[in-house]
């Protein structure tokens, strides 16, 4: 006899029949009927009509029947609130039952009935149960508080349940402690500010004790809670780590990963010189490896986390490369993650093995995986220089297989290898060209065209090859079109005599027949360049390209640090901070790694993020295509070509009549002269005068605009304004302003005595304010201030005072005391005094951060009638520590990308669009992105102040 | 925490749902179905799926998807571990975990799920506690219940629930006291074309079946505990004692349980007990290819290799195979292109082999990928890592138990590339 009989229906109508059975006198029949009802419920049938009949069965001694009725109640009480009240009495009675199982069951079920009217009756029984003598009841009641809080938060706070819950953290039973922690954590998540889990060394000690004795699930709650604690010094951190380490050997992988989180976070505080630090590093590897032998779903989550750990501390797993080798029957999501980690761990020591594996993978069946494997080979070549040759030959072998998608991927990565090691592997070009016809994906076509254009002088039939692509020009994707345009221009500059026709053709295709603005713009730029000054054109188009960086998809260091704090959570699976995706973003608190506060001072600088380009190289290195830079500058349609934006600003713009005169001036007037004399002239020839700006090396110049601009010391200073009128301060008048010079902020004050008596004993104090501004020295007025005398004082400030958010943000409340009285005034300081000197963000970081900040945080502002051009704007802003990171020109408008950093470490990123308004004034459009959007308004005001004065 | 659970069969029907907080509409599973459609095979459905308001975490076992719905930030491993635990519990209760069985026992399933989670927090997941709360269905009990009207829900608070040893109930009594331990090791290995080892590791477990009266306190020591440097213990093992003396000291749960699992990695040089000689070649011109496999023993410490099966996924272009085995039986499924060969025991004097020809689709080009050979085997009375139990002692009880240790080595994911 099985439960499936409960699903059979009769002719009369199921509900009717059930109703009769529920009201039967026979106990057994009743129970069977309730079972039938539950069975219908589990498969999603609506049996809510039976509510009164089922509730009538509740008063019973039969525990199974009671449980079944409770199950039913939980499901349907919400839809029948009035009826549900009928059940309350039984609940209250059950909470007094001598059997703890029934008491716990009652309090547990009551909490699941999400009906406001019932919750009121719940409070008294719950209060009793929280203090019940039986720990089983207490632990159930602890969870019930969390349930109740979800239904009616105010009620829980008013009734003081939160405090009772906090007391349970000190309970003698570890299970009760664990459940109290779990309940508090859940409540705290919806109230980030409430400071519910106020951890101190004593409570930490209790948690650590409970950790050893509670169930595996309780251990997870406690470990996650511990991870939020910041130890006061490295000794405390070490002692917590020592007590958490045994959890690494737990059979439950969630316990292991939560323990790893605690250790990774607290490790940050330990000095690397400690023996213990090394021991801990060694202990972390085996449990991580073990996670990889678990079920595939667990492996996936573990791998996503290991990906973060490897980026933060590559030393942990550097010898464990082999466990990431892919088995052919791994699920695809595991395969792709393993591959990613393999590349991160690739080094000179293990590259041979890695390559052999990757080559093996490239012959597998799954297309996505094969593609990624081929790409991985390219990434290895770029990452480990010694292996480049072997990688290239492996790629060539793969091309020989003629498997279409393998060939295409290989060509895409070979292009990147050319960028990294120019003039080294060009011998393979011939092989690549053989496969020209099989390329049908835009990315591969674009890559191939780039290669042909770049090495046009070594490919005999480059013109024919490119011409063959030109036939279907309008059917190509934009990416290919742009690449083709650039490649043909390159070809023309290299072999001008034979390819005039071709270049004419592509320019007219791009400018006249195309609807794509990007393509048209690029077409015009080349056209004008070529027509105005072919030598310059050559220098621009054929400029030496910056190298590409080795690692392309590293997570931005600040984000990585935040994610390390979220190991084992969804955030770590998505590699996004919780604020970016958790429902409602209920004020998620940003977590950060604790600073290293060694009690024994270590001189070693904090460890920098793994890999990445060494700092010295950064200017020359741009990431490979398809990455962040491309996104922002909209060049992602192909590998970055040398700078069209620069070109426009330096070439004299003709009238609008370009279409007409263009080709003529390029080709027409002196047909035989152009090719021979102008184009071929060596680059050393004098640069024509109209090429104003230095044309050094394309993109790198573009990104280093600031180096050309003289750095002024000190930012804009507003004229002094009266802050405290004499009338309000018994004759003392104070006016002043704020300045920032070479890193130090000061408040320039002018004190005037307008009273009839001498003033002495000056002192000044600031109220707590948003950025912690405080006087760095006492107010020094050397001599007494006689009537009608004025004294000028510069008061140095620092930003280490205590912080309190003010409204408005830049409000500063000041108290000045003298021998007469104490006076109060408040003033607003311009935000730019807080812009620090090292506010220039690294480009890649800028791009990553820009993408990373959600769009809601973007604020737009207009600055009208600014009397400056782009150059002047940029230099003016730089003197106030707003740094221009990149500049480009879109449709005649200059775009500046800028960054600045506030004294408290908040970064603000800006995009400034300069629209030419009337001739002498410009309209500026400012977009600001910042993780703390409230500062945007004030940053905008600072911009306006700086630019308009 | 865990909001709801949906059980979905491979046809894409939701056949059971359970909610621990408010009811989440089953339409949320549409996102899961989308992902399921995109993945070619059921195994490839990603375990974490985000939807606009919820996250779906799933495990796929016994051809059933167990999909948990969560709404806030919850450790995903916690959820996945829990789901696996749910499956294990069902298996423990009903013997098999399949759609018809779960449907037959839907009320028990529901009661068990309700007991396992409260408001999304795990409540009782130890199977011996659950079984005290809700008795597993047996034919006898069903009959008795119908006659006497008693229930299969316990009305006493399980004793283990709150004790310091939650995994053991009190008052256990046996007439025959016995404790058996199985040391089982699985070799995961990838062997490359030329026969050299790419990676090899051993996943070992010690499973116990302990039926002892009262509260016995056991210690288990090893001849070579240094092998165990990467271990995960059952919560009953006293970690301190292990750290200091390398001795397993514990009060065992009643019945079957996994005492410990361990991992011996490549650095310790894992012995590979078998080798496969293979010669699989396809030619461009002809539609016939050659196929030859021989399996032989290697480093077996004198033990014989049994239960050998060889399976291999053939390239799509393969139409049929004409093979002759020297022993055992073989099958080739022309639809899935799966070749399997049940070899049985390896006789070192006469090595088993499988030879013959492969015919390809006419006109098709030579397959790009090489088939990988998957190997299964068993070796009795050998732990390939060399792990050996030294002695087992019991304290705390007076009687003398029967003790037994068994060793076995198996192939885990053992793959040979060709």
């Amino acid at each position: 006899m099985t439960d499936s009989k409960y699903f059979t229906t009769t002719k009369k109508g199921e509900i009717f029949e059930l109703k009769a059975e529920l009201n039967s006198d026979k106990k057994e029949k009743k129970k069977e009927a309730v079972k039938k009802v539950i069975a219908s419920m589990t498969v999603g049938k609506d049996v809510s009509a039976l509510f009164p009949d089922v509730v009538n069965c509740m008063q019973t001694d039969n525990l199974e029947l009671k449980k079944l009725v409770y199950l039913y109640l939980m499901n349907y009480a919400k839809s029948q609130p009035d009826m549900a009240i009928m059940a309350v009495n039984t609940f209250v009675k059950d909470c007094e039952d001598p059997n703890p199982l029934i008491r716990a069951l009652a309090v547990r079920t009551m909490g699941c009935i999400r009906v406001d009217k019932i919750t009121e009756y719940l409070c008294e029984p719950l209060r009793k149960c929280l203090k019940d003598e039986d720990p089983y009841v207490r632990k159930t009641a602890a969870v019930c508080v969390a349930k109740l809080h979800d239904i009616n938060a105010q009620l829980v706070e008013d009734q003081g349940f939160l405090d009772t819950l906090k007391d349970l953290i000190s309970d003698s039973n570890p299970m009760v402690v664990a459940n109290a922690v779990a309940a508090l954590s859940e409540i705290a998540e919806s109230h980030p500010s409430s400071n519910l889990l106020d951890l101190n060394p004593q409570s930490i000690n209790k948690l650590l004790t409970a950790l050893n004795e509670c169930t595996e699930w309780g251990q997870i709650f406690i470990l996650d809670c511990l991870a939020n604690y910041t130890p006061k010094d490295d000794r405390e951190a070490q002692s917590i780590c020592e007590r958490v380490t045994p959890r690494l050997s737990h059979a439950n992988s969630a316990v292991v990963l939560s323990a790893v989180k605690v250790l990774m976070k607290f490790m940050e505080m330990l000095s690397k010189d400690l023996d213990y630090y090394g021991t801990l590093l060694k202990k972390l590897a085996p449990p991580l490896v073990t996670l990889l032998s678990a079920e595939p779903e667990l492996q996936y989550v573990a791998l996503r986390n290991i990906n973060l750990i490897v980026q933060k501390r590559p030393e942990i797993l550097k010898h464990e490369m082999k466990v990431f080798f892919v088995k052919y029957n791994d699920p695809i999501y595991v395969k792709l993650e393993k591959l990613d980690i393999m590349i991160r761990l690739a080094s000179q020591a293990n590259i041979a093995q890695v390559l052999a594996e990757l080559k093996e993978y490239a012959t597998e069946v799954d297309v996505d995986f094969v593609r990624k494997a081929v790409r991985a080979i390219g990434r290895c070549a770029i990452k480990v220089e010694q292996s480049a040759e072997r990688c290239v030959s492996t790629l060539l072998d793969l091309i020989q297989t003629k498997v279409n998608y393998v060939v295409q991927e290989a060509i895409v990565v070979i292009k990147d290898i050319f960028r990294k090691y120019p003039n080294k592997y060009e011998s393979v070009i011939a092989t690549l060209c053989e496969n020209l016809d099989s390329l049908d994906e835009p990315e591969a076509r674009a890559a191939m065209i780039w290669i042909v254009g770049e090495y046009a002088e070594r490919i005999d039939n480059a013109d024919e090859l490119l011409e063959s692509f030109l036939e279907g020009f309008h059917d190509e994707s934009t990416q290919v079109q742009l690449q083709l345009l650039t490649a043909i221009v390159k070809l023309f500059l290299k072999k001008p005599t034979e390819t005039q026709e071709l270049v004419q053709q592509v320019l007219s295709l791009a400018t006249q027949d195309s609807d794509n603005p990007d393509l048209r713009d690029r077409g015009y730029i080349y056209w004008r360049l070529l027509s105005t000054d072919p030598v310059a054109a050559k220098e621009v188009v054929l400029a030496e390209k910056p190298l590409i960086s080795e690692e392309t998809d590293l997570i931005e260091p600040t984000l990585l640090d935040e994610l390390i704090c979220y190991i084992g959570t969804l955030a770590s699976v998505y590699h996004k901070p919780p604020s970016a995706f958790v429902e409602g973003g209920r004020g998620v608190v940003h977590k950060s790694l604790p600073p290293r506060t060694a009690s024994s001072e270590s001189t070693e600088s904090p460890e920098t993020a793994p890999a990445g380009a060494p700092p010295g190289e950064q200017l020359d290195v741009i990431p490979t295509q398809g990455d962040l830079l491309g996104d922002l500058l909209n060049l992602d349609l192909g590998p970055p070509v040398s700078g069209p934006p620069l070109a426009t600003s330096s070439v004299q713009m003709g009238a609008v009549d370009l279409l007409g005169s263009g080709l003529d001036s390029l080709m027409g007037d002196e047909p035989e002269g152009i090719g021979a004399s102008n184009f071929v002239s060596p680059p050393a020839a004098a640069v024509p005068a109209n090429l104003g700006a230095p044309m050094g090396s394309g993109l790198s110049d573009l990104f280093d605009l600031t180096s050309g601009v003289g750095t002024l010391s000190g930012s804009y200073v507003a004229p002094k304004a009266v802050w405290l009128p004499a009338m309000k301060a018994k004759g003392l008048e104070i006016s002043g302003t704020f300045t920032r010079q070479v890193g130090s902020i000061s408040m320039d004050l002018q004190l005037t005595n307008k009273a009839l008596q001498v003033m002495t004993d000056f002192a000044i104090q600031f109220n707590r304010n948003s950025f912690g501004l405080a006087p760095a020295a006492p107010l020094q007025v050397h001599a007494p201030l006689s009537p009608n005398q004025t004294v000028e004082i510069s008061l140095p400030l620092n930003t280490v005072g205590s912080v309190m958010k003010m409204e408005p943000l830049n409000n500063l409340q000041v108290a000045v005391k003298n021998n007469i009285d104490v006076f109060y005034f408040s003033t607003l300081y311009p935000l730019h005094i807080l812009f620090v000197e090292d506010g220039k963000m690294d480009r890649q970081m800028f791009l990553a951060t820009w993408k990373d900040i959600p769009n809601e945080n973007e604020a737009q502002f207009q600055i009208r009638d600014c009397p400056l051009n782009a150059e002047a704007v940029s230099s003016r802003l730089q003197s106030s520590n707003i740094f221009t990171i990149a500049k480009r020109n879109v449709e005649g408008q200059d775009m500046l990308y800028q960054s600045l950093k506030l004294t408290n470490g908040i970064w603000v990123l800006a995009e400034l669009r300069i629209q030419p308004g009337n001739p002498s004034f410009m309209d500026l459009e400012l977009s600001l992105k910042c993780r703390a959007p409230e500062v945007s308004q004030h940053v905008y005001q600072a911009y306006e102040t700086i630019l308009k004065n | 925490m865990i909001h709801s659970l949906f059980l979905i069969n491979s046809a894409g029907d939701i056949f059971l749902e359970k909610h621990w907080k408010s009811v989440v509409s089953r339409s949320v599973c549409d996102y899961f179905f989308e992902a399921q459609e995109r993945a070619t095979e059921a195994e490839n459905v990603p375990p974490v799926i985000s939807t606009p308001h919820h996250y779906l975490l799933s495990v796929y076992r016994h051809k059933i998807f167990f999909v948990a719905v969560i709404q806030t930030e919850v450790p995903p491993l916690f959820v996945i571990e829990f789901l696996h635990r749910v499956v294990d519990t069902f298996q423990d209760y009903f013997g098999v975990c399949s759609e018809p069985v779960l449907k037959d026992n839907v009320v028990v399933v529901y009661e068990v799920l309700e007991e396992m989670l409260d408001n999304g927090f795990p409540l009782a997941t130890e199977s011996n506690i659950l079984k005290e709360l809700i008795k597993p269905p047996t034919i006898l009990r069903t009959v008795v219940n119908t006659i006497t009207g008693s229930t299969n829900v316990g009305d006493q608070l399980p004793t283990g629930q709150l004790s310091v040893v939650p995994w053991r109930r009190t008052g256990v009594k046996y007439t025959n006291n016995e404790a058996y331990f199985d040391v089982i090791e699985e070799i995961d290995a990838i062997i490359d074309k030329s026969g050299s080892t790419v990676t090899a590791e051993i996943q070992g477990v010690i499973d116990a079946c302990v039926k002892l009266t009262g509260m016995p306190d056991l210690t288990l020591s090893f001849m070579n505990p240094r092998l165990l440097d990467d271990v995960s213990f059952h919560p009953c093992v006293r970690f301190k004692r292990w750290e200091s003396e390398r001795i397993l000291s514990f009060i065992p749960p009643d019945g079957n349980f996994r005492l410990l699992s361990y991992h011996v990695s490549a650095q310790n040089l894992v012995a590979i007990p078998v080798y496969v000689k293979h010669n699989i070649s396809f030619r461009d011109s002809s539609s016939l290819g050659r196929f030859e496999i021989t399996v032989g023993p290697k480093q077996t410490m004198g033990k014989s290799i049994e239960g050998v099966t060889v399976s291999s996924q053939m390239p799509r272009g393969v139409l049929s195979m004409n093979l002759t085995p020297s022993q055992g039986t073989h099958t080739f499924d022309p639809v899935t292109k799966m070749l399997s060969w049940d070899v049985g025991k390896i006789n070192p004097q006469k090595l088993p082999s499988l030879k013959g020809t492969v015919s390809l689709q006419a006109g098709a080009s030579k397959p790009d990928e090489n088939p990988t050979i998957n190997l299964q085997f068993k070796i009795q009375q050998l732990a390939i890592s060399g792990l050996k139990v030294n002695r087992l002692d019991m304290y705390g009880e007076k009687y003398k138990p029967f003790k037994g240790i068994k060793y076995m080595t198996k192939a885990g994911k053992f793959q040979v590339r060709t």
Side-chain angles (χ1 to χ4, degrees), chain B residues 58 62 177 212 278 310 354:
Chain B
S58 61
H62 306 294
N177 288 298
L212 296 174
H278 51 83
V310 174
L354 182 67

Side-chain angles (χ1 to χ4, degrees), chain A residues 312-500:
Chain A
K312 180 72 189 167
R313 298 193 185 278
E315 62 271 29
I316 294 178
L317 287 168
K318 67 179 172 205
H319 299 302
E320 303 291 346
M321 169 64 95
K322 282 189 173 176
V323 299
F324 298 103
F325 285 0
V326 173
K327 306 209 167 71
Y328 88 98
N329 44 7
D330 283 336
I332 181 74
Y333 53 83
V334 168
K335 283 183 178 175
L336 295 176
E337 287 305 315
K338 280 188 173 173
L339 200 52
D340 220 41
I341 296 172
M342 275 174 71
I343 302 165
R344 294 206 194 285
L345 288 176
S347 66
Q348 204 183 332
N350 56 25
I351 193 72
Q353 275 182 326
V354 173
L355 264 184
E357 279 296 302
L358 292 176
K359 197 173 171 185
E360 196 68 41
Y361 304 160
T363 61
E364 283 224 24
V365 189
D366 191 290
V367 177
D368 281 343
F369 181 58
V370 170
R371 283 173 181 273
K372 193 152 182 182
V374 176
R375 264 190 205 223
I377 297 175
R379 275 169 70 186
C380 284
I382 291 165
K383 190 173 174 200
V384 186
E385 184 160 1
Q386 293 79 2
S387 74
E389 191 144 356
R390 221 172 327 167
C391 292
V392 171
S393 75
T394 308
L395 286 170
L396 279 181
D397 288 350
L398 290 174
I399 289 177
Q400 300 300 357
T401 63
K402 305 272 179 195
V403 179
N404 191 287
Y405 51 85
V406 174
V407 173
Q408 309 213 37
E409 284 299 321
I411 286 184
V412 173
V413 294
I414 285 181
K415 179 210 68 194
D416 287 344
I417 295 176
F418 282 165
R419 287 294 305 277
K420 169 82 180 184
Y421 310 108
N423 303 318
K424 218 165 158 194
Y425 301 109
E426 280 69 15
S427 51
V428 308
I429 291 176
T431 323
L432 302 187
C433 289
E434 288 167 18
N435 292 289
L436 216 55
D437 300 332
S438 63
L439 308 180
D440 52 9
E441 288 161 26
E443 203 179 353
R445 286 174 83 84
M448 189 65 219
I449 293 170
W450 182 87
I451 293 171
V452 174
E454 189 65 19
Y455 298 99
E457 68 273 29
R458 314 197 193 177
I459 305 173
D460 292 335
N461 58 345
D463 49 343
E464 287 170 30
L465 292 177
L466 292 176
E467 203 172 352
S468 67
F469 281 105
L470 206 55
E471 280 162 17
F473 189 76
H474 289 296
D475 301 329
E476 299 282 5
S477 73
T478 314
Q479 182 181 12
V480 180
Q481 290 177 334
L482 285 169
Q483 210 47 261
L484 194 53
L485 172 63
T486 305
I488 293 182
V489 171
K490 281 183 192 163
L491 173 70
F492 173 63
L493 291 169
K494 287 174 177 170
K495 298 180 181 172
T497 42
E498 309 130 48
T499 55
Q500 283 185 16

Side-chain angles (χ1 to χ4, degrees), chain B residues 5 57-59 66-68 79-87:
Chain B
L5 174 71
L57 281 80
S58 61
V59 302
F66 294 77
V67 183
V79 181
I80 294 173
E81 273 277 357
F82 178 80
L83 290 176
H84 281 298
R85 206 61 61 84
V86 169
V87 184

Side-chain angles (χ1 to χ4, degrees), chain A residues 570, chain B residues 1-8 14 16-32 47 49-51 53-59 66-72 74 78-79 82-83 117 119-120:
Chain A
L570 282 171
Chain B
M1 293 292 122
I2 300 171
H3 218 103
S4 305
L5 174 71
F6 293 97
L7 302 195
I8 300 174
I14 304 170
L16 199 133
E17 56 183 296
K18 169 85 185 106
H19 306 276
W20 284 276
K21 291 184 169 186
S22 49
V23 177
V24 177
S25 156
R26 54 165 68 189
S27 63
V28 74
C29 292
D30 292 350
Y31 294 97
F32 181 82
I49 298 170
S50 76
T51 77
H53 301 288
H54 301 91
Y55 292 89
L56 306 178
L57 281 80
S58 61
V59 302
F66 294 77
V67 183
V69 182
I70 59 173
Q71 206 159 20
T72 49
V74 178
F78 164 95
V79 181
F82 178 80
L83 290 176
L117 277 189
N119 193 37

Side-chain angles (χ1 to χ4, degrees), chain B residues 117-134:
Chain B
L117 277 189
D118 176 22
N119 193 37
F121 297 108
L123 199 59
T125 53
E126 285 284 337
S127 94
N128 67 55
I129 292 181
L130 277 172
K131 281 183 175 167
E132 279 186 59
L133 283 169
I134 296 155

Side-chain angles (χ1 to χ4, degrees), chain A residues 3 42 64 67 99 108 136 147 216-217 249 253 286 290 293 297 329 332 357 363 568 570 581 583, chain B residues 44 53 55 73 75-76 81 85 104 110 114-115 118 125 152 155 161 198 203 230 232-233 369 415 417:
Chain A
D3 292 353
T42 57
E64 184 178 22
K67 276 194 175 183
N99 185 344
R108 196 173 121 201
Y136 183 71
K147 294 181 196 169
E216 47 197 318
W217 315 108
S249 301
S253 59
T290 304
S293 52
E297 298 93 2
N329 44 7
I332 181 74
E357 279 296 302
T363 61
L570 282 171
F581 65 91
E583 175 90 329
Chain B
N44 286 342
H53 301 288
Y55 292 89
E73 176 68 89
E81 273 277 357
R85 206 61 61 84
D104 280 353
Y110 223 65
E114 181 61 29
E115 223 40 72
D118 176 22
T125 53
N152 62 344
D155 55 2
Q161 182 82 314
V198 178
Q203 314 288 353
D230 180 3
S232 312
F233 296 118
E369 73 267 11
Q415 311 186 343
R417 293 173 179 162

